[in-house]
Amino acid sequence: MVFASGIFLYFFLPIFLAVYYLTPRKWKSLLIAVASYIFYGWWRPDFVLLMWFSTVLDYNCGKRIVVGQKLGGTGKPWVALSVIANLGLLAYFKYFNFGIDSLNAILVGFNGPVLSFAQVMLPVGISFYTFQTISYSVDIYKRRAEPVGNLTDFMCYVALFPQLVAGPIVRYNTIAEQLSERTHTVDKFYRGVLAFQAGLVKKLLVADILGEVADAAFAGGGLGFVDSWIGALAYTFQIYFDFSGYSDMAIGLGLMMGFRFPINFDQPYRSISITDFWRRWHVSLSAFLRDYLYVPLGGNRKGGVRTYVNLSLTMLIGGLWHGANWTFIAWGAYQGFWLVFERLTGKKALYSSTPRIVQVAITFALVICGWILFRAETLGHAGQYLSQMFGFSGHDVTGLALRPIHGAAALAAAIVTWGLPTTQGLLLRARAVWVLPLQAAFWLALLHLHFVSHVPFLYFQF
Amino acid sequence: MKTTPEAQDGLISIPDSRPGSMGYRLLVAFVLLTSIGLVLGTAIIDVVNPLPKPKLMGAEKVERELQEKEAKWSDGSLARLIEDNYRITSRMRNGLAGPYATFLFRNLREGTKRVYVGTDGWMFMRSRVHMDPEISQLKIVGSSMMHAAISRRFATLGIRHILLPLPRKSSIFNRHLGIGLTSVPELDTQLIAAMEAAGVEAIDLYPSWSAWQGEAVYLRTDSHWSTNGVRIAAEQLATQSGLMIADAERVGEVVHGGRLPQPGGLFRIMNVEAGPGDEKYYETDSVQVLVGGRIPQDAGKEASLVVCGSSFSLFSELRGFLGYYTGKAVTLYPSPGAHPMKSILRMLDDRGEAGLPEILVEELPIHLILMWPPVRSTLGVRSDACKLLTMLKPPVTSTLDISSEAWTDKVSDGVKLTVKRGRYIGKVKPGFLARAGTGCAEVQLDVEVLEGDMQFKVVAGGRHLATQLSPGRQVLTLPIPSLEATSDQVGMALSCLPSTVTSSVIVHSMELVSAIDLSGAHPFEISTIQRAEEHFFVELTPKAPLRMKRHGTILLGLDQHSQEMGEVELTVTASGSGLSQGYQFTSVAPGGKIVFSPNLLIGELIKSVRISWEARAEAGLPGAPAIQSASYYPLAVKRGE
């Protein structure tokens, strides 16, 4: 099920919330878990079994870790089992096809036999919930959190439908207390509604409309210099508004249910460097990678060279997490390169000595170039697109079918990106000056939802 | 540019709950009441007072019924059906969509998901603009073959069949699609070439329509031709078919009737009311033929030239211009919103054998080419085409006509093949006679796709059944795509998908299989050939009492020396109730098999099977099918995957 659909908005959500508020506190977790399974299994019920497997495994691993530690052990085998099993699931469902294809490409190069296997279908959201269950085992192992009291609460944590399929990644230690103790107030509900509305508006009125331009630009065929930049900009805004829109909706739904989820975006396109960008973009992922990968690898504690290696490796893996394709690996490498570059040059970086607005502009341009790698189907496609952006395409005609609605969406995107406070700011202030226009935009978004068939969120595929 | 401070714990933070001012409370109440009211209000209205489901007809109805029948949770199809049903029956959605569409169109010149609004008031059906990637050679070849078969059959009835394919509006006016969005007319030109190659007399309108510099040949806000388009089409048809008469022989006069307002159907499809500012887009120059100051009347059953087609031929101007240029009495048989097949069937029904026309013009909008692949929604069209072929009775035995360029039988099993885009490999085994309405005759493919997505197609009787193959080894068993009795050859083909440049594949085996369990057979006694009036027949009687069971299948083996025949009728009769079930085969090839499953007689005792055929007047002797074996098999049907 997707948030931006009639079935979710008009039936699932109101029925769920009504039942939720009528249910005694002790049954709320069970209700959330059941509702989440319905939400998740709506299109593919069989994938719920996979989630149950992961849930039961990690619940038991958590218990064993604690028992082991109480008996004087470390609980290491159980945390290892949890990590290996979850990464194994992720590797199989997400990277098996990619691995076989890549291996076959090598084998063919050496005239070797070609391996053939049935294609594996990727369960939606597996990248998110496997990371969450890993965070549970590791947090218990590191004694950063107490193990969950019962299986129902853990089912609720893993399956929590607002953030199940596209984040934010909610680490166990950040939400452990809320699973058993959280408040429900009208004010919280109200702000949850605002966040949800903001997300829906971002998704329907900006991301989906600009997505048309991006799809046309990346569909292949030659584009001129201007058009390729327009296409790249359209995708830059599409991915931000799509993903941050989903995060806002997730945060809003969480608040309606009394949860406080992590902030996932903090005006990333106002960043003054790539390092700054990664503090603001998909914050829950970068924090996860930092705490569960970069730091365990040694972080910056083992000297300069090792720091750069760790940084690059973390970004490579972060890129691969987004998808099984060389383009994502290249995108991770690209991000890693700029992080290392900025760290190496420090204050001496060319753009760090420029005025803030120039720094923002340069960073934004670097981010846009990165999105080309992210969006392209293949590395060759990315190369071709980038060559167009830098005037090597040989095309100079306007090739994109731009309509006034695209201009309106782009203008709205620019205003929201650089002129308005973040969703966090909106929730903090919740003033009429923001809230009333948001209501109008929300009504328009609902109208638009009636008008178009639903378009899935981009981050469902990751 | 200020950024918002992050909450200390990284979680979204909200201020502590506080009573707040009256203004704040009012704001909260406003937001919650309006939001909850909107959501609940919509849900209640849509549940309590939903719109009735639209009445579907023809192919759409068949598709919908199949969707509903086969929907299940496990693959998400039921969920999608529920969502789709809600979308269709939502009163709120349908009530608001119109005003919102009008708002978007008026303020941003924005169309809907069905209608694309181009430049200068031009509107296009989106599906027809974007259909080129869906073209495959097989679709075009399949369509051409079917039309060729129809043409041949009309020819034996003394009817000249002229196909008038209509180029798509987006091909002719792609400059109005909007900046850079182009619709390459590949489909249009490929189809004409394929039709001509298959022996169909086709009129190519594309050069004349695209070169026309005057008043547009298509209406801007509609999918139909303008009167100018009609005039040029009629002129081209008369010229290219050699039917053009001399100026002096013409009856009537071409009259320019000034500007004519024609607010198009695309406004309606967008759910938008044409407004006062839109006339400039839909007013067109009116051109027509008048005879004695009047529009010529429909010639009814007397017409020597009939036009069958879809809604495009609705316009009476076409009748006028065709009459004007060819000097013939013309009748139109439009079939609004349907495929021309329906129109042809109606014409045959209307005129009967005695009043068949001299010339039949089949006006076929090119986008309807996509009605030929055997997807569910096209079953209606294919069924109509089969009905037509059955009605028209084959003049000669004809097997599936597969051009050597597209097909080859030189594929050795187990050899790795690389297939480039647009090239096909396949294997056709001649002489197989099959009927597969209940899945009792199938094809089997054991294939290993190494790279690239491929498509496997089974062709029988002009129908195709296709399935996509992803890399990996797979054994597929597919039913022969035939809904009615056919004895045409069955062909199989592997091809690249249009989106795949190169595919590699190892074909381990590619076989026509009969999935009948040959054990437990009940043999029949085969009589000698007998004569009854103009027919010969052979009677088959079960050697032991035989009760028809579900999937029970009768298999007749034909001798290699059997003579080829045009048409064979086969009737199975039950002894108790006297019920009978009949089949008609369009051709019978020597050495083949006739496989049929008299499913209407399940539970009945089978009395006999009679195979009858028309006596050949010229020889006076029967062209005998020489049935070598005849047995009933109780079951064992391997269903297709």
Side-chain angles (χ1 to χ4, degrees):
Chain A
M1 213 178 281
V2 291
F3 296 159
S5 70
I7 289 286
F8 178 82
L9 269 178
Y10 300 122
F11 297 97
F12 181 88
L13 183 60
I15 292 171
F16 167 76
L17 286 175
V19 177
Y20 178 80
Y21 277 96
L22 291 172
T23 302
R25 177 177 291 268
K26 64 176 179 175
W27 297 109
K28 282 193 191 310
S29 288
L30 182 63
L31 174 71
I32 292 172
V34 171
S36 300
Y37 292 140
I38 294 170
F39 175 88
Y40 187 69
W42 178 248
W43 282 342
R44 283 301 299 253
D46 47 342
F47 287 150
V48 173
L49 295 175
L50 196 66
M51 197 196 302
W52 278 340
F53 169 77
S54 187
T55 306
V56 171
L57 176 85
D58 288 288
Y59 176 71
N60 283 300
C61 283
K63 283 173 79 170
R64 303 276 178 179
I65 290 165
V66 173
V67 170
Q69 287 176 341
K70 277 184 183 164
L71 294 173
T74 60
K76 208 169 191 172
W78 296 104
V79 76
L81 173 66
S82 167
V83 171
I84 290 167
N86 281 297
L87 291 182
L89 276 182
L90 193 59
Y92 176 71
F93 283 99
K94 195 161 180 171
Y95 304 108
F96 181 82
N97 297 339
F98 175 63
I100 292 294
D101 290 346
S102 303
L103 189 59
N104 277 339
I106 296 167
L107 288 172
V108 166
F110 289 98
N111 290 322
V114 175
L115 308 172
S116 65
F117 291 90
Q119 293 280 300
V120 178
M121 189 186 249
L122 177 68
V124 170
I126 191 170
S127 310
F128 290 90
Y129 72 74
T130 48
F131 268 30
Q132 290 195 175
T133 49
I134 287 173
S135 84
Y136 172 75
S137 310
V138 173
D139 286 350
I140 301 292
Y141 173 72
K142 296 264 185 189
R143 300 173 199 266
R144 288 196 288 239
E146 290 296 314
V148 69
N150 56 65
L151 181 61
T152 312
D153 278 352
F154 192 62
M155 282 158 60
C156 169
Y157 162 65
V158 177
L160 199 55
F161 75 85
Q163 47 75 242
L164 172 62
V165 288
I169 297 167
V170 179
R171 290 151 60 171
Y172 180 69
N173 64 355
T174 64
I175 204 171
E177 276 183 31
Q178 298 182 56
L179 285 171
S180 51
E181 290 296 325
R182 59 184 181 274
T183 57
H184 300 89
T185 65
V186 173
D187 193 60
K188 213 173 187 179
F189 191 91
Y190 159 68
R191 288 168 203 265
V193 169
L194 293 183
F196 186 84
Q197 290 176 336
L200 194 74
V201 169
K202 280 180 172 181
K203 161 74 178 161
L204 290 172
L205 297 186
V206 180
D208 288 355
I209 292 171
L210 290 179
E212 285 179 17
V213 181
D215 288 348
F218 283 88
L223 288 176
F225 171 79
V226 175
D227 280 348
S228 52
W229 276 96
I230 290 174
L233 261 174
Y235 184 67
T236 300
F237 283 125
Q238 184 201 4
I239 193 165
Y240 173 49
F241 280 81
D242 189 281
F243 191 19
S244 72
Y246 188 93
S247 291
D248 288 350
M249 283 190 257
I251 286 166
L253 288 168
L255 284 171
M256 290 183 217
M257 294 152 63
F259 287 104
R260 286 168 57 234
F261 288 160
I263 296 165
N264 217 18
F265 290 89
D266 183 17
Q267 297 170 319
Y269 293 157
R270 298 185 191 185
S271 307
I272 53 167
S273 65
I274 294 293
T275 309
D276 189 27
F277 175 77
W278 278 103
R279 289 189 195 111
R280 297 157 172 264
W281 178 271
H282 203 171
V283 178
S284 63
L285 175 69
S286 42
F288 184 95
L289 292 174
R290 181 194 64 210
D291 295 344
Y292 295 87
L293 184 62
Y294 177 70
V295 171
L297 282 171
N300 59 1
R301 303 185 305 275
K302 298 191 175 177
V305 175
R306 186 64 191 275
T307 302
Y308 302 134
V309 170
N310 291 342
L311 208 49
S312 304
L313 200 59
T314 303
M315 293 317 291
L316 270 180
I317 291 171
L320 189 60
W321 176 87
H322 282 86
N325 194 332
W326 288 104
T327 52
F328 293 115
I329 296 173
W331 176 75
Y334 174 83
Q335 299 293 337
F337 167 80
W338 285 109
L339 290 179
V340 169
F341 174 80
E342 286 174 359
R343 205 175 179 99
L344 265 170
T345 53
K347 294 274 181 195
K348 291 173 200 161
L350 281 176
Y351 54 92
S352 67
S353 56
T354 57
R356 187 181 176 85
I357 193 160
V358 176
Q359 291 178 43
V360 171
I362 292 173
T363 307
F364 188 57
L366 292 176
V367 169
I368 292 174
C369 293
W371 289 137
I372 305 305
L373 293 166
F374 196 85
R375 174 63 175 77
E377 302 288 328
T378 60
L379 286 177
H381 183 204
Q384 181 209 345
Y385 199 97
L386 284 165
S387 71
Q388 291 171 168
M389 287 173 68
F390 292 100
F392 301 120
S393 69
H395 299 279
D396 51 4
V397 290
T398 307
L400 285 177
L402 296 175
R403 302 196 302 277
I405 199 166
H406 300 136
L411 183 66
I415 291 171
V416 172
T417 304
W418 291 297
L420 295 184
T422 58
T423 308
Q424 166 74 80
L426 174 81
L427 295 185
L428 277 172
R429 298 177 190 109
R431 288 181 194 144
V433 68
W434 303 122
V435 171
L436 293 177
L438 176 62
Q439 297 313 295
F442 174 63
W443 299 336
L444 190 64
L446 285 185
L447 261 176
H448 201 74
L449 179 64
H450 284 302
F451 186 65
V452 295
S453 53
H454 96 269
V455 181
F457 288 88
L458 290 182
Y459 254 70
F460 276 23
Q461 63 190 293
F462 303 134
Chain B
M1 287 183 284
K2 280 187 178 178
T3 59
T4 308
E6 241 182 69
Q8 282 184 339
D9 55 3
L11 301 180
I12 200 85
S13 65
I14 57 167
D16 291 335
S17 189
R18 60 189 193 291
S21 64
M22 181 55 78
Y24 177 77
R25 285 182 193 177
L26 280 173
L27 187 65
V28 172
F30 172 75
V31 168
L32 291 183
L33 288 177
T34 52
S35 302
I36 294 170
L38 263 175
V39 169
L40 289 184
T42 302
I44 290 167
I45 289 169
D46 286 345
V47 168
V48 174
N49 190 19
L51 288 175
K53 280 189 191 172
K55 212 171 180 179
L56 299 177
M57 291 167 72
E60 278 185 322
K61 189 179 172 192
V62 172
E63 186 181 21
R64 192 71 185 176
E65 282 171 356
L66 273 166
Q67 266 180 3
E68 286 175 358
K69 196 174 152 193
E70 292 176 6
K72 49 182 187 260
W73 281 118
S74 58
D75 63 359
S77 54
L78 184 57
R80 274 187 283 275
L81 188 71
I82 291 170
E83 291 182 10
D84 202 34
N85 275 340
Y86 171 64
R87 195 177 53 78
I88 294 167
T89 59
S90 164
R91 189 167 288 275
M92 282 294 277
R93 176 189 178 277
N94 289 286
L96 292 169
Y100 186 61
T102 307
F103 165 79
L104 285 182
F105 177 71
R106 291 273 163 251
N107 296 287
L108 298 169
R109 303 298 295 169
E110 189 66 16
T112 62
K113 66 178 178 180
R114 291 185 66 193
V115 177
Y116 178 79
V117 179
T119 59
D120 206 18
W122 284 85
M123 296 178 186
F124 303 86
M125 292 292 287
R126 273 185 205 271
S127 57
R128 293 176 201 172
V129 173
H130 297 295
M131 66 195 289
D132 288 73
E134 296 171 52
I135 309 166
S136 80
Q137 285 298 318
L138 272 173
K139 280 177 190 172
I140 290 174
V141 168
S143 178
S144 310
M145 293 300 167
M146 182 63 86
H147 277 90
I150 290 168
S151 266
R152 281 198 298 269
R153 292 185 189 189
F154 274 125
T156 60
L157 293 172
I159 300 174
R160 183 175 170 191
H161 178 225
I162 302 173
L163 190 70
L164 182 64
L166 307 179
R168 286 168 299 158
K169 184 177 174 180
S170 53
S171 302
I172 304 286
F173 295 104
N174 52 20
R175 63 186 179 278
H176 290 295
L177 278 171
I179 305 162
L181 185 59
T182 54
S183 177
V184 183
E186 257 179 57
L187 173 61
D188 308 76
T189 48
Q190 281 179 4
L191 180 68
I192 298 279
M195 289 289 180
E196 283 172 352
V200 179
E201 185 179 354
I203 305 297
D204 190 358
L205 284 180
Y206 184 77
S208 55
W209 270 8
S210 57
W212 179 248
Q213 296 295 319
E215 179 82 10
V217 293
Y218 264 107
L219 300 172
R220 281 197 222 194
T221 56
D222 197 286
S223 293
H224 293 90
W225 322 348
S226 67
T227 51
N228 260 305
V230 172
R231 187 185 66 73
I232 296 169
E235 188 186 23
Q236 283 298 315
L237 190 138
T239 307
Q240 291 183 35
S241 63
L243 294 171
M244 181 72 89
I245 55 171
D247 288 353
E249 296 174 43
R250 286 189 187 139
V251 178
E253 54 178 339
V254 176
V255 176
H256 290 262
R259 304 292 289 173
L260 193 72
Q262 293 186 330
L266 294 178
F267 274 115
R268 203 166 46 249
I269 290 175
M270 283 205 305
N271 222 345
V272 170
E273 284 285 327
D278 297 321
E279 293 94 340
K280 61 182 176 196
Y281 298 131
Y282 59 69
E283 271 189 358
T284 54
D285 216 5
S286 166
V287 187
Q288 56 192 355
V289 169
L290 298 181
V291 179
R294 290 180 168 190
I295 295 171
Q297 292 301 298
D298 192 294
K301 292 185 180 180
E302 302 305 314
S304 57
L305 191 157
V306 298
V307 181
C308 291
S310 61
S311 58
F312 287 75
S313 53
L314 265 174
F315 299 107
S316 54
E317 288 86 354
L318 183 61
R319 185 172 60 231
F321 280 115
L322 275 177
Y324 179 74
Y325 287 122
T326 64
K328 294 184 184 300
V330 179
T331 300
L332 301 182
Y333 284 93
S335 183
H339 195 276
M341 283 302 141
K342 220 166 236 352
S343 164
I344 297 175
L345 284 169
R346 196 157 64 80
M347 183 274 290
L348 290 172
D349 191 40
D350 181 46
R351 301 188 58 134
E353 281 193 25
L356 291 176
E358 184 189 322
I359 299 164
L360 163 65
V361 174
E362 182 191 345
E363 162 248 39
L364 177 71
I366 281 181
H367 67 269
L368 290 181
I369 182 82
L370 288 182
M371 294 299 275
W372 290 102
V375 294
R376 284 168 180 162
S377 60
T378 65
L379 285 177
V381 175
R382 303 203 137 240
S383 171
D384 284 344
C386 286
K387 255 188 235 166
L388 182 64
L389 288 172
T390 309
M391 274 174 78
L392 295 177
K393 295 182 183 175
V396 287
T397 301
S398 63
T399 51
L400 192 66
D401 193 5
I402 298 167
S403 72
S404 56
E405 195 179 80
W407 295 77
T408 169
D409 58 359
K410 290 175 187 161
V411 179
S412 304
D413 292 351
V415 175
K416 181 183 165 185
L417 300 155
T418 298
V419 187
K420 296 283 182 193
R421 181 184 287 168
R423 295 279 304 214
Y424 301 91
I425 56 162
K427 195 168 188 179
V428 181
K429 289 197 172 178
F432 190 87
L433 196 60
R435 180 198 162 264
T438 52
C440 57
E442 298 158 347
V443 294
Q444 197 170 65
L445 172 75
D446 180 357
V447 70
E448 195 173 347
V449 179
L450 304 176
E451 63 165 313
D453 289 330
M454 301 194 79
Q455 204 169 44
F456 176 54
K457 290 207 177 197
V458 185
V459 189
R463 297 163 190 276
H464 301 237
L465 188 70
T467 184
Q468 197 169 325
L469 303 174
S470 296
R473 183 165 180 172
Q474 48 230 293
V475 178
L476 294 172
T477 307
L478 295 177
I480 288 167
S482 177
L483 295 179
E484 293 171 35
T486 173
S487 61
D488 283 333
Q489 279 185 330
V490 174
M492 289 179 271
L494 273 168
S495 65
C496 287
L497 286 183
S499 56
T500 311
V501 177
T502 304
S503 300
S504 289
V505 64
I506 296 174
V507 181
H508 293 285
S509 72
M510 198 168 176
E511 298 290 341
L512 293 166
V513 294
S514 175
I516 296 160
D517 183 356
L518 295 175
S519 61
H522 292 246
F524 282 83
E525 194 92 65
I526 306 169
S527 78
T528 53
I529 298 173
Q530 301 170 61
R531 181 163 191 158
E533 294 177 2
E534 295 303 307
H535 287 81
F536 292 98
F537 68 90
V538 169
E539 195 99 46
L540 310 175
T541 44
K543 286 185 176 174
L546 168 62
R547 194 172 290 279
M548 181 67 201
K549 289 185 180 167
R550 189 160 182 263
H551 294 314
T553 299
I554 297 170
L555 191 145
L556 311 179
L558 302 184
D559 194 301
Q560 281 294 347
H561 306 294
S562 173
Q563 291 177 36
E564 206 165 65
M565 290 178 300
E567 189 175 345
V568 171
E569 270 186 18
L570 196 148
T571 311
V572 189
T573 311
S575 56
S577 61
L579 282 173
S580 65
Q581 184 169 357
Y583 298 92
Q584 197 168 45
F585 291 92
T586 53
S587 69
V588 175
K593 292 183 182 69
I594 298 176
V595 187
F596 58 99
S597 179
N599 57 321
L600 299 179
L601 303 182
I602 290 169
E604 299 282 346
L605 273 172
I606 300 298
K607 183 184 167 193
S608 66
V609 179
R610 177 185 277 216
I611 303 161
S612 59
W613 61 95
E614 215 173 338
R616 286 183 183 171
E618 65 275 20
L621 291 169
I627 295 167
Q628 199 174 40
S629 60
S631 293
Y632 167 88
Y633 299 90
L635 184 69
V637 172
K638 289 179 197 165
R639 304 297 301 193
E641 286 179 10

